[in-house]
Amino acid sequence: MVKKNVPDWLNSSLWTTAPSSPSASSSDDPSKPAISPSKTTSEPNFEPPIPVRPPTVTREGQPPPPPPSLSQKPEIKDKNSRTSITSNANSSSSSSIDKDEDRDGENGASPAAGPSAEDITKQAQLLTELSKKVVNVKELRKIASQGLPDGAGIRSTVWKLLLGYLSPERSQWSSELAKKRSQYKIFKDELLMNPSEITRKLEKSTLDDEPKSESRCVLSRSEITHDEHPLSLGKTSVWNQFFQDSEIIEQIDRDVKRTHPDLHFFCGDSSFANSNQEALKSILVVFAKLNPGIRYVQGMNEILAPLYYVFKSDPDEEMAACAEADTFFCFVELLSGFRDNFCQQLDNSVVGIRSTITKLSQLLKEHDEELWRHLEITAKVNPQFYAFRWITLLLTQEFNFADSLHIWDTLLSDPEGPQETLLRICCAMLILIRRRLLAGDFTTILKLLQNYPPTNIRHLLYVANKLRHVPTC
């Protein structure tokens, strides 16, 4: 029996047949039949090529680090102890995957047993594309749109290309990286300096320019300008600005310490976790000072975390060591597409967060009017109650960390931009649990949407991709 007011493709065989996936069924109803893989891809008989990493910026005479093998797990150097920490395996820096497996177990999904034949094939395609002198970004987007394999540090390089941090021409990577990292160091040196250091620097500069004499050893009271006085309230006063920034820095510090408390990569007493927190904090402070119109908005730390994790987990030690600088520029580029969602003055404008949520509501109405009517007319559930967090935090809080990375693969690879793709994924999240939503009232619906149930991520992205097409009447 065909459902009324439901798109035709939901009534077709596509709804019960999804791409093969190692994870559990995406059905949220136990009575609903599980989704079975449509076909199995046999493992190829050839060995994938050696991973091709971006050229690293090394000192003259220093040989670059050897490329890792495909089976090698990412290895990160602790800056303090300088001891090797094997990612995703035996240490406090990398037990994030262990934590993800625990969470998968809690959600009823089985931990990943290893790379599938499909992942191996996709990895070989990506490595071949990345080894070209000029990377075909269009082809790269196509391959990455359904998720990237977790091994060989591929995601780190691909994300930098998709975000425009690296140009398609590989010959320019080395100079581009060196220039950007040098620029970030200048930002930190200038923006993370407290007024006392600034005053001493100015004093030293003055003394260097003036002839040396005993009278110039100490500044007289008349030589201390108004803006350099700690009690100055002037708009140009470095001390007044310092005290204003202190409030934001304290907020950033509190939020960073709460970032993914279930992952030892970000939280814990280890020096590695502490160094990662300091890196996140520095990036957010520099961003806030360079963008006075936005400054820092609570939740930016959650968007920053996946970028830093991916770049810091790069198996190339030189690339991992420069993860902070690379993350900063990629964070700026990513946020440029969602900038208006964080600007309070634009909340009620046509480009603000409320307008974006309205677009999600309209998208649901186009593709599933029955569900839209039940949510907003019958149950009177305001989309802002659940979609605000979904959109502003890019779904980082709705799924476990590993699944969030796969969702981001799709977000970053869409040539239309991440926001349109994000809205389609949010709409697909509603459609996938439509039975439970249609059976619920205001309280049960809100509880369900604010604690989204475990789902098959591949099937979620598959459904979201189907929403590209406007349904026919």
Side-chain angles (χ1 to χ4, degrees):
M1 182 176 179
V2 177
K3 302 173 186 176
K4 296 181 179 180
N5 299 324
V6 177
D8 293 338
W9 63 270
L10 277 177
N11 293 316
S12 70
S13 59
L14 291 173
W15 180 246
T16 56
T17 304
S20 59
S21 172
S23 57
S25 170
S26 65
S27 174
D28 60 288
D29 192 337
S31 63
K32 192 172 181 180
I35 300 169
S36 57
S38 58
K39 62 181 180 178
T40 304
T41 306
S42 58
E43 184 173 347
N45 296 323
F46 60 89
E47 290 292 333
I50 298 299
V52 177
R53 305 296 310 129
T56 57
V57 182
T58 56
R59 295 179 179 177
E60 186 175 357
Q62 178 183 357
S69 64
L70 293 178
S71 60
Q72 178 182 350
K73 292 185 177 293
E75 187 171 279
I76 303 170
K77 290 291 185 179
D78 187 319
K79 293 182 179 179
N80 295 328
S81 64
R82 307 303 299 169
T83 56
S84 174
I85 305 175
T86 304
S87 177
N88 306 336
N90 301 320
S91 71
S92 61
S93 70
S94 58
S95 58
S96 56
I97 298 301
D98 296 335
K99 292 291 181 179
D100 287 334
E101 291 178 354
D102 291 342
R103 293 172 69 176
D104 285 342
E106 292 173 2
N107 294 337
S110 57
S116 63
E118 180 183 354
D119 285 341
I120 293 175
T121 302
K122 186 180 294 185
Q123 180 169 293
Q125 292 175 334
L126 288 166
L127 291 172
T128 300
E129 189 62 46
L130 293 175
S131 66
K132 296 179 180 178
K133 292 183 178 180
V134 179
V135 178
N136 186 336
V137 178
K138 183 178 180 180
E139 182 65 22
L140 197 65
R141 292 182 185 278
K142 181 180 177 181
I143 300 173
S145 61
Q146 294 302 315
L148 296 167
D150 295 315
I154 290 178
R155 181 175 282 118
S156 174
T157 306
V158 172
W159 279 17
K160 290 171 185 175
L161 282 162
L162 296 179
L163 286 167
Y165 182 57
L166 291 176
S167 69
E169 296 186 23
R170 294 185 68 252
S171 61
Q172 298 181 9
W173 288 1
S174 180
S175 59
E176 287 177 349
L177 290 173
K179 181 179 178 180
K180 291 290 187 180
R181 290 164 181 174
S182 176
Q183 181 65 58
Y184 180 70
K185 184 179 183 303
I186 294 174
F187 286 156
K188 288 185 67 176
D189 291 342
E190 293 181 354
L191 300 176
L192 301 185
M193 187 182 301
N194 65 50
S196 295
E197 294 173 332
I198 295 175
T199 302
R200 282 195 294 268
K201 191 174 182 180
L202 290 173
E203 179 183 345
K204 184 178 183 299
S205 176
T206 302
L207 292 175
D208 289 342
D209 294 339
E210 296 287 341
K212 292 185 178 180
S213 66
E214 294 182 2
S215 61
R216 298 299 301 174
C217 292
V218 179
L219 287 175
S220 65
R221 183 180 297 272
S222 61
E223 291 175 308
I224 300 178
T225 64
H226 177 72
D227 287 343
E228 294 173 4
H229 196 284
L231 299 181
S232 172
L233 298 178
K235 293 183 178 180
T236 59
S237 170
V238 292
W239 281 99
N240 185 31
Q241 188 63 49
F242 171 75
F243 290 126
Q244 291 181 11
D245 292 342
S246 295
E247 298 179 6
I248 297 178
I249 294 173
E250 290 175 3
Q251 179 65 56
I252 291 174
D253 186 60
R254 287 193 297 269
D255 290 348
V256 164
K257 289 179 179 178
R258 292 195 293 258
T259 303
H260 292 290
D262 54 336
L263 303 182
H264 289 304
F265 182 92
F266 295 108
C267 291
D269 297 329
S270 68
S271 59
F272 183 77
N274 291 335
S275 68
N276 290 337
Q277 287 187 1
E278 286 300 316
L280 296 182
K281 182 178 175 181
S282 296
I283 293 171
L284 292 171
V285 172
V286 171
F287 177 85
K289 290 191 175 186
L290 289 175
N291 296 271
I294 298 179
R295 309 279 284 176
Y296 170 76
V297 179
Q298 194 169 15
M300 286 183 176
N301 58 303
E302 301 294 348
I303 299 177
L304 180 64
L307 290 171
Y308 182 75
Y309 173 86
V310 168
F311 298 159
K312 189 67 175 178
S313 300
D314 195 307
D316 186 317
E317 294 182 6
E318 185 74 18
M319 299 296 287
C322 298
E324 182 179 329
D326 296 344
T327 302
F328 170 78
F329 287 102
C330 288
F331 176 71
V332 171
E333 186 62 33
L334 174 62
L335 220 58
S336 65
F338 300 94
R339 180 187 182 96
D340 297 334
N341 291 340
F342 291 95
C343 189
Q344 188 175 3
Q345 292 84 351
L346 298 176
D347 280 355
N348 296 315
S349 70
V350 294
V351 294
I353 181 61
R354 289 188 176 90
S355 176
T356 304
I357 294 175
T358 300
K359 291 179 182 178
L360 172 60
S361 176
Q362 293 171 346
L363 187 64
L364 178 63
K365 185 178 181 180
E366 290 177 4
H367 291 279
D368 196 338
E369 185 174 351
E370 180 186 7
L371 179 57
W372 171 84
R373 188 172 299 278
H374 178 75
L375 290 177
E376 300 195 22
I377 307 300
T378 305
K380 300 186 184 305
V381 177
N382 190 325
Q384 293 185 28
F385 294 160
Y386 59 88
F388 183 88
R389 186 178 72 180
W390 290 9
I391 293 172
T392 56
L393 301 186
L394 307 188
L395 299 174
T396 56
Q397 300 300 293
E398 314 313 316
F399 304 96
N400 67 44
F401 194 74
D403 287 342
S404 296
L405 298 183
H406 285 281
I407 291 175
W408 277 38
D409 293 337
T410 300
L411 288 178
L412 300 181
S413 64
D414 197 314
E416 296 180 12
Q419 180 146 295
E420 296 301 319
T421 307
L422 176 64
L423 293 180
R424 285 193 293 268
I425 294 175
C426 290
C427 186
M429 289 169 64
L430 296 170
I431 292 175
L432 281 180
I433 57 173
R434 69 186 312 273
R435 290 186 179 183
R436 294 171 67 175
L437 293 174
L438 289 171
D441 57 11
F442 176 88
T443 303
T444 55
I445 289 174
L446 202 57
K447 183 178 180 180
L448 181 63
L449 294 179
Q450 290 181 345
N451 298 276
Y452 195 81
T455 190
N456 184 317
I457 297 301
R458 290 193 179 187
H459 187 58
L460 171 64
L461 298 176
Y462 168 79
V463 174
N465 187 57
K466 295 293 294 184
L467 300 180
R468 288 178 179 273
H469 309 289
V470 179
T472 56
C473 298

